[in-house]
Amino acid sequence: MIRKLISRIFDLPASLAGNKSKPRVLALAQHGVRRDALSHAALRVVSRLQDAGFAAYVVGGAVRDLLLGVTPKDFDVATSATPEQVHHLFRRSRIIGRRFRIVHVMMGPETIEVTTFRGGEVANKNETGRVMADNTYGNQVEDALRRDFTVNALFYNPTDETIIDYHHGVKDLRARKLVMIGQPARRYQEDPVRMLRAVRLAAKLDFTIDEHTRKPIAANAALLRNEPPARLFDELLKLLHSGHAYACLKMLRDEGLSQGTFPLLDAVMDEPGGETFLKNALANTDERVRADKPVSVGFMLAAMLWAQVRNRWQQRLQQGERDIAALVEAMAEVETLQDNDFAIPKRFSATMREIWFLQPRFESRAGQRPFRFVEQPRFRAAYDFFCLRADAGEVPRELQQWWEDFQNGDTAERQQLVDDVRNSGGEAANPERKKRRRRRKPAAAAGGGEPA
Ligand code: ATP
Ligand code: MG
């Protein structure tokens, strides 16, 4: 019965589908993952479910990462209990999601995501084959079939320390390759975000994407355009936080996926120096992610779109527009272009905008301005960004070094640095702006005061 059903869903010969329902069960000696490698919360959740008579396993990315010797960033549990039954067992839990109902179990500082085994025919699809609802429950065999890659379909049972492997996931993991379960094209049509997951996981794990899994990506990339922007942005965030953001973005572009998600990325990377700028920017944030330090998404987005902003800014300056006005216009233009694809949520775009907007302030070193600027809450982010521009040869290295010294100096040293600039003839940059200021406020400018 199940065999027939599975072969119908995945167009597999019944014999092949049948083989898939017989898993390999690996003992501790064969895989080496001990139960104490799990988090306290993951262990507690699994054992409470099992004690209540349900099947329960750690599943997905955590098992994969443990096998690779990587510390999992979170733990997912798959169980035979329904969301209501799970919710009933854990006081601090809540049922979330509509398209996929899952339970978040809060335990201490951790949140464990508990999903009920999926199964049954995926009946609710739209005209492109997209799965619209998927809350039919099934058993473990079916659940394994519905997961994306073979390495993500491994179940770990902490009670006997076994790994249950229906799709040769362990073999593929050792060969370091991502293999889609079932027919790749069809699985991408069911859920186009799987294409982004393939790229993100391959870059993050340093895996190759198996040829059969990779090939249909190009032909199906356009499907991403129909995905809800919020879901795409979620994926972009995961990608930026993967610790391999640059590798991910590069692969995204190489696989033709940026068109569906982040078209401006193509424009940025095609810009002379654009790719290097982005590479340097993300090398830094990737390093921070890997050292478990916080990173600013606004900063990464600022770097991703900078080549576009800079170009437009320069063009406007050449046309005689004023410095700040030109920059603000350029920023607005780029943001409008980006909004056509998906709007960047405010909590990130505000930082991004501020980093850009503060760039011209590194050109003014007179009077109290530098003193005030370093006190700005966003100074550090703006300065890090300015360093990237210096690395790219966009702004003079001496100017960046001056700001480095200024930040590190005490009050007297800072004053000395400001005096040095004045004594050497003041700011060379932007004489146009100076002229204007003098006209408006001759007395203040002469006294080193602060024009508005
Ligand atoms: P990460 O290390 O980024 O958390 P992950 O593989 O754990 O990677 P999750 O988004 O946490 O990714 O998903 C958990 C598991 O759920 C996956 O390992 C996979 O088995 C399954 N899964 C997630 N998204 C999909 C999808 N779009 N289609 C099929 N299965 C999916
Ligand atoms: Mg996960």
Side-chain angles (χ1 to χ4, degrees), residues 23-280:
R24 279 188 71 202
V25 179
L26 287 89
L28 175 63
Q30 294 166 282
H31 61 71
V33 177
R34 296 186 177 280
R35 75 171 72 85
D36 55 18
L38 302 189
S39 72
H40 176 70
L43 266 174
R44 290 262 311 266
V45 169
V46 170
S47 58
R48 193 173 308 168
L49 283 162
Q50 290 182 347
D51 290 348
F54 299 109
Y57 302 86
V58 172
V59 70
V63 185
R64 175 197 73 211
D65 290 349
L66 287 170
L67 280 168
L68 290 168
V70 175
T71 311
K73 66 174 171 27
D74 46 39
F75 288 88
D76 301 315
V77 168
T79 179
S80 59
T82 62
E84 288 73 18
Q85 287 169 326
V86 176
H87 180 52
H88 191 73
L89 276 177
F90 299 93
R91 202 170 43 84
R92 289 183 61 218
S93 68
R94 56 166 190 260
I95 300 177
I96 60 160
R98 215 175 313 162
R99 205 163 62 84
F100 298 99
R101 291 173 76 224
I102 59 179
V103 187
H104 275 175
V105 177
M106 280 73 77
M107 195 163 281
E110 280 183 77
T111 299
I112 304 290
E113 223 169 83
V114 183
T115 50
T116 304
F117 292 143
R118 312 267 155 200
E121 173 100 53
V122 183
N124 194 347
K125 291 189 187 180
N126 73 1
E127 65 285 357
T128 63
R130 176 80 166 84
V131 176
M132 302 312 284
D134 190 10
N135 278 316
T136 326
Y137 305 127
N139 58 23
Q140 192 184 28
V141 187
E142 295 167 297
D143 187 79
L145 254 183
R146 300 283 285 277
R147 294 186 177 270
D148 47 9
F149 306 104
T150 60
V151 295
N152 280 350
L154 300 167
F155 297 86
Y156 179 72
N157 184 354
T159 308
D160 59 7
E161 298 180 308
T162 54
I163 284 179
I164 299 160
D165 180 3
Y166 288 92
H167 299 283
H168 302 290
V170 173
K171 190 172 121 242
D172 292 338
L173 181 130
R174 299 213 160 116
R176 302 191 81 86
K177 62 180 180 183
L178 285 181
V179 181
M180 181 64 85
I181 295 168
Q183 282 192 356
R186 190 161 164 179
R187 306 288 324 270
Y188 295 139
Q189 284 147 19
E190 283 173 2
D191 180 3
V193 164
R194 288 172 184 152
M195 295 183 272
L196 296 178
R197 289 178 53 85
V199 164
R200 172 168 63 86
L201 291 173
K204 169 177 148 172
L205 304 170
D206 196 18
F207 274 29
T208 52
I209 305 177
D210 178 66
E211 196 41 40
H212 291 294
T213 299
R214 199 183 73 89
K215 204 155 169 262
I217 290 182
N220 288 288
L223 291 175
L224 280 169
R225 288 182 180 282
N226 307 328
E227 281 304 292
R231 191 157 180 242
L232 292 179
F233 197 79
D234 253 19
E235 268 306 310
L236 180 70
L237 284 182
K238 285 191 191 172
L239 193 152
L240 292 177
H241 283 116
S242 68
H244 302 265
Y246 180 73
C248 283
L249 289 177
K250 191 158 167 51
M251 201 189 281
L252 204 74
R253 174 178 147 90
D254 292 347
E255 295 301 333
L257 287 171
S258 41
Q259 271 309 314
T261 46
F262 219 82
L264 280 181
L265 187 65
D266 286 341
V268 165
M269 287 214 187
D270 288 338
E271 208 56 60
E275 189 165 340
T276 316
F277 185 87
L278 191 59
K279 191 174 179 174
N280 291 342

Side-chain angles (χ1 to χ4, degrees), residues 267-411:
V268 165
M269 287 214 187
D270 288 338
E271 208 56 60
E275 189 165 340
T276 316
F277 185 87
L278 191 59
K279 191 174 179 174
N280 291 342
L282 297 180
N284 196 283
T285 44
D286 280 345
E287 221 171 86
R288 289 182 63 86
V289 171
R290 291 189 225 173
D292 235 356
K293 292 184 187 160
V295 290
S296 153
V297 172
F299 185 90
M300 296 194 208
L301 293 169
M304 283 173 70
L305 298 177
W306 176 243
Q308 289 290 306
V309 174
R310 186 196 57 209
N311 265 3
R312 288 175 167 76
W313 183 24
Q314 294 309 322
Q315 273 165 20
R316 286 173 177 276
L317 285 179
Q318 277 158 21
Q319 288 158 11
E321 283 187 37
R322 289 181 182 180
D323 204 15
I324 305 289
L327 175 59
V328 170
E329 289 293 328
M331 283 163 45
E333 249 177 61
V334 170
E335 281 199 69
T336 309
L337 277 177
Q338 178 56 43
D339 281 356
N340 291 341
D341 300 303
F342 57 80
I344 294 170
K346 271 211 180 64
R347 63 186 190 282
F348 303 123
S349 63
T351 311
M352 174 181 89
R353 230 175 272 144
E354 215 168 345
I355 288 172
W356 290 338
F357 186 67
L358 290 174
Q359 292 309 305
R361 285 187 59 177
F362 288 102
E363 314 266 347
S364 356
R365 293 177 289 172
Q368 286 304 303
R369 288 185 158 220
F371 291 91
R372 284 220 297 269
F373 189 19
V374 285
E375 298 307 325
Q376 242 269 354
R378 291 268 176 252
F379 173 81
R380 192 64 216 186
Y383 175 70
D384 287 346
F385 199 81
F386 189 67
C387 290
L388 290 169
R389 295 178 62 210
D391 292 343
E394 250 180 63
V395 288
R397 176 64 72 197
E398 300 74 47
L399 186 56
Q400 180 245 313
Q401 189 57 50
W402 188 93
W403 282 99
E404 180 70 35
D405 298 341
F406 188 84
Q407 285 172 78
N408 296 332
D410 58 23
T411 313

